[in-house]
């Protein structure tokens, strides 16, 4: 049995708790939190304070880190990798090299494996970009996200004066995807690839016209997109827009022999973004423990890990049944 | 530079010759054939007789074996792996364990790497089945092939008395795929998943009614499918049905947290099946040489090989730009 600790218990941590139930070769030691453990409502797991993690060192094979990339993981992944094998979903793309280098050094010094930046993007989408570009080097790779909720954009809406609550959907331009798949060569702007839909709840007396203008002109977040704003009630938002669906497409269109068109497409259609990300983290937690057993210490990403390490099934059976 | 030999020169061998032109870190030493070399029309490569292969031992890093799975590869892959790193596309699923065991022993005894059974199925489709099932263990995986030409079914048609020439298309049932993606639980028969379309050219005086009946009732090949037969002229067949498009879909529908639906889908849409397969072989040839440089000798499949080995780009750059 692979013994797992969940570090941090938000939507992602809860997703890991669910995912572990589907993996009979893994068992959950407990949830570790900076909050008062008795205040954390798990789905059945015992909650401990983070200060008690080190005392459990002999009982844990891998820690799945479920904190955020902005402030939690840059500190937690290095710290915890001193003592445990770890898996994280660090997704600040620009800071991945720095994060990797820091964690890699600690992992090697302490004989640990740390799988960083896994999930679906970075993660499965990265894998598909790599496989596709390696196989069809004369080609173009396009990543489309959605339809799904962007937490970052929803947060940006909620920070606007006069907005009580909000949900933002990122929507891929499916017409453009179909044209690319049909072999058209398109030069795409940011605006061409995705649309944005905002469902907002106004505070009493808020100036709707000013708020609409502020949204569609917001730099980085909305100004470069075709953005539609819907004003709805808090009840409607709660009822229809509080789930966390997501997904997307990695499309690679290439040619062989000068003009023969070949298309590789990978799609995810997720009813719950955090639960799916959690399922990816759990599969890579299995890989982390196996790689540690083989003494392949250091930081690793999805690029470094042979696919067989993710499966609970032995490789002879995989060759016979899945190849 | 990775120095490559092509063993066998049919459609697949020619595809490898084209693919190598797109990979500036690889160079083609030559084509090796059992035919008279001067009778082989390459796209520019020098052709040698197979008997001259061993004399080039010091000039070749990896041999890409482009023969057939029925009779060529079961003999050639073990033989050539005595002396060279090899890559093959052995696709007789039932015999993969036997082929693997034989090649693995020879590769280990002779310090070679042999990547067997790569291409797209087995190959990329196998990878996607493995990743999807590892991430969403509570789920179902479906593989659909087509729309594409099945050489085996086309050959079966041509063996019928009275048929001068023929092309058979395997067509996936897209309605079923859409229903599965929408979350329906379907129990599918062979007939539900694929349709078959046969374009046949009759010999003069052939009995069309008898031939049609013989096709749609042919066991294993057509009896279990809804099969449509079109009688056309040789001119029309030559003009419209001599290309080798193919492709397909690996669909995995799973659930997390008891009822949250998650869908993973991988699609290939290929204008040329042999050219695409060749491109996969070339990427794995790069991996074979690198693994041999790391002394990871033995037979390997797509399950055993970390994705980074396929790319000519160093892993630091991959982390920075593709992750």
């Amino acid at each position: 049995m692979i013994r797992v600790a969940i570090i941090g218990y938000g939507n992602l941590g809860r997703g890991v708790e669910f995912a572990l139930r589907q993996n009979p070769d893994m068992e959950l030691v407990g949830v570790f939190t900076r909050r008062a453990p008795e205040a954390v409502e798990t789905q059945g797991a015992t909650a401990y304070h983070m200060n008690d993690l080190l005392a459990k060192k002999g009982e844990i094979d891998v820690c799945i880190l479920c904190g955020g990339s902005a402030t939690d993981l840059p500190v937690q992944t290095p710290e915890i990798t001193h003592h445990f094998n770890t898996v994280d979903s660090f997704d600040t793309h620009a800071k991945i090299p720095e994060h990797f280098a820091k964690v890699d050094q600690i992992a090697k010094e302490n004989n640990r494996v740390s799988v960083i930046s896994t999930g679906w993007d970075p993660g499965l989408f990265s894998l598909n970009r790599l496989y596709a570009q390696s196989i069809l080097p004369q080609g173009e790779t396009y990543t489309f996200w959605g339809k799904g909720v962007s937490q970052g954009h929803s947060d940006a809406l909620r920070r606007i004066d006069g907005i009580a609550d909000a949900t933002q959907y990122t929507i891929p331009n499916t017409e453009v995807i179909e044209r690319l798949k049909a072999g058209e060569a398109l030069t795409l702007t940011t605006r061409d690839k995705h649309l944005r839909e905002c469902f907002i709840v106004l505070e009493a007396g808020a100036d709707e016209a000013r708020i609409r203008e502020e949204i569609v002109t917001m730099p980085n977040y909305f100004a470069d997109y075709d953005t539609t704003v819907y004003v709805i009630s808090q009840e409607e938002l709660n009822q229809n827009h509080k789930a966390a669906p997501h997904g997307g497409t990695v499309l690679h269109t290439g040619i062989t022999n000068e003009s023969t068109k070949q298309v590789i497409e990978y799609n995810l259609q997720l009813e719950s973004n955090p639960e799916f990300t959690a399922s990816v983290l759990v599969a890579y937690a299995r890989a982390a423990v196996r790689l540690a057993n083989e003494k392949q210490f250091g930081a690793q990403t999805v690029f470094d890990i042979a696919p067989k390490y993710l499966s609970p099934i032995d490789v002879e059976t995989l060759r016979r049944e899945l190849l």
Side-chain angles (χ1 to χ4, degrees), chain A residues 148-200:
Chain A
V149 172
S150 163
Q151 293 303 339
H153 288 78
S154 299
D155 290 344
L157 292 174
R158 285 189 287 260
R159 284 193 295 267
I160 292 175
D161 192 40
I163 290 187
D165 202 354
T167 297
Q168 194 270 182
Y169 295 98
T170 306
I171 299 171
N173 186 334
T174 49
E175 186 213 319
V176 159
I177 295 177
E178 291 310 314
R179 287 172 62 189
L180 290 168
K181 284 169 68 174
E184 273 192 70
L186 301 174
T187 306
L188 297 173
T189 63
T190 298
R191 191 178 299 274
D192 294 329
K193 288 183 67 188
H194 296 92
L195 313 172
R196 299 197 176 278
E197 277 186 2
C198 307
F199 291 84
I200 61 171

Side-chain angles (χ1 to χ4, degrees), chain A residues 52-301:
Chain A
D52 297 327
L53 180 62
L54 265 186
K56 298 262 178 202
K57 197 161 171 171
E59 301 166 36
I60 296 168
D61 296 313
V62 58
C63 291
I64 301 182
L65 310 187
C66 299
S69 295
T71 56
D72 299 329
L73 298 176
V75 177
Q76 283 186 345
T77 309
E79 266 185 20
I80 296 176
T81 302
H82 272 102
H83 307 286
F84 298 94
N85 300 311
T86 55
V87 177
D88 81 16
S89 62
F90 184 76
D91 67 357
T92 311
H93 285 260
K95 294 189 177 169
I96 286 176
E98 180 191 335
H99 187 63
F100 183 92
K102 196 169 174 185
V103 174
D104 188 48
Q105 189 188 341
I106 292 168
K108 284 180 174 149
E109 286 169 0
N110 295 278
N111 291 352
R112 311 290 173 207
V113 171
S114 178
V115 181
I116 68 151
S117 300
T118 190
W120 60 274
D121 197 358
L124 303 180
F125 273 20
S126 324
L127 274 179
N128 277 279
R129 289 187 282 261
L130 175 59
Y131 277 115
Q133 292 182 15
S134 301
I135 289 160
L136 298 175
Q138 278 187 22
E140 291 291 332
T141 310
Y142 307 89
T143 302
F144 293 87
W145 295 273
K147 181 180 177 176
V149 172
S150 163
Q151 293 303 339
H153 288 78
S154 299
D155 290 344
L157 292 174
R158 285 189 287 260
R159 284 193 295 267
I160 292 175
D161 192 40
I163 290 187
D165 202 354
T167 297
Q168 194 270 182
Y169 295 98
T170 306
I171 299 171
N173 186 334
T174 49
E175 186 213 319
V176 159
I177 295 177
E178 291 310 314
R179 287 172 62 189
L180 290 168
K181 284 169 68 174
E184 273 192 70
L186 301 174
T187 306
L188 297 173
T189 63
T190 298
R191 191 178 299 274
D192 294 329
K193 288 183 67 188
H194 296 92
L195 313 172
R196 299 197 176 278
E197 277 186 2
C198 307
F199 291 84
I200 61 171
V201 179
L202 297 180
E203 289 173 352
D207 178 351
E208 182 178 328
R210 189 261 308 157
I211 287 172
R212 284 180 175 273
E213 181 64 15
E214 198 169 328
I215 293 172
V216 300
T217 59
M218 192 187 295
N220 301 318
Y221 285 89
F222 297 104
D224 295 336
Y225 298 86
D226 288 340
T227 301
T228 315
V229 179
Y230 301 96
V231 175
I232 61 173
S233 67
Q234 185 72 53
E235 291 68 37
E236 192 182 337
L237 192 83
N238 292 348
Q239 197 175 332
N240 299 332
H241 303 288
K242 284 293 180 187
H246 220 310
T249 298
V250 176
L251 182 68
H252 185 82
T253 59
I255 53 166
T256 51
N257 178 19
E258 295 179 9
S259 65
T260 313
K261 288 175 190 157
Q262 317 274 18
V263 178
I264 303 175
E265 182 188 11
Y266 184 74
N267 286 312
L268 295 174
Q269 194 181 300
L270 312 174
E271 280 192 359
S272 165
N273 181 358
E275 287 180 16
F276 185 79
T277 301
S279 295
V280 180
L281 292 179
V282 166
Y284 277 98
R286 176 183 292 118
V289 172
R290 289 185 174 175
L291 292 164
N293 290 341
E294 295 184 5
K295 303 191 190 308
Q296 298 194 38
F297 303 123
Q300 313 218 18
T301 75

Side-chain angles (χ1 to χ4, degrees), chain A residues 299-315:
Chain A
Q300 313 218 18
T301 75
V302 294
F303 296 156
D304 302 299
I305 298 176
K308 66 179 173 187
Y309 289 105
L310 303 189
S311 172
I313 301 167
D314 67 276
V315 72

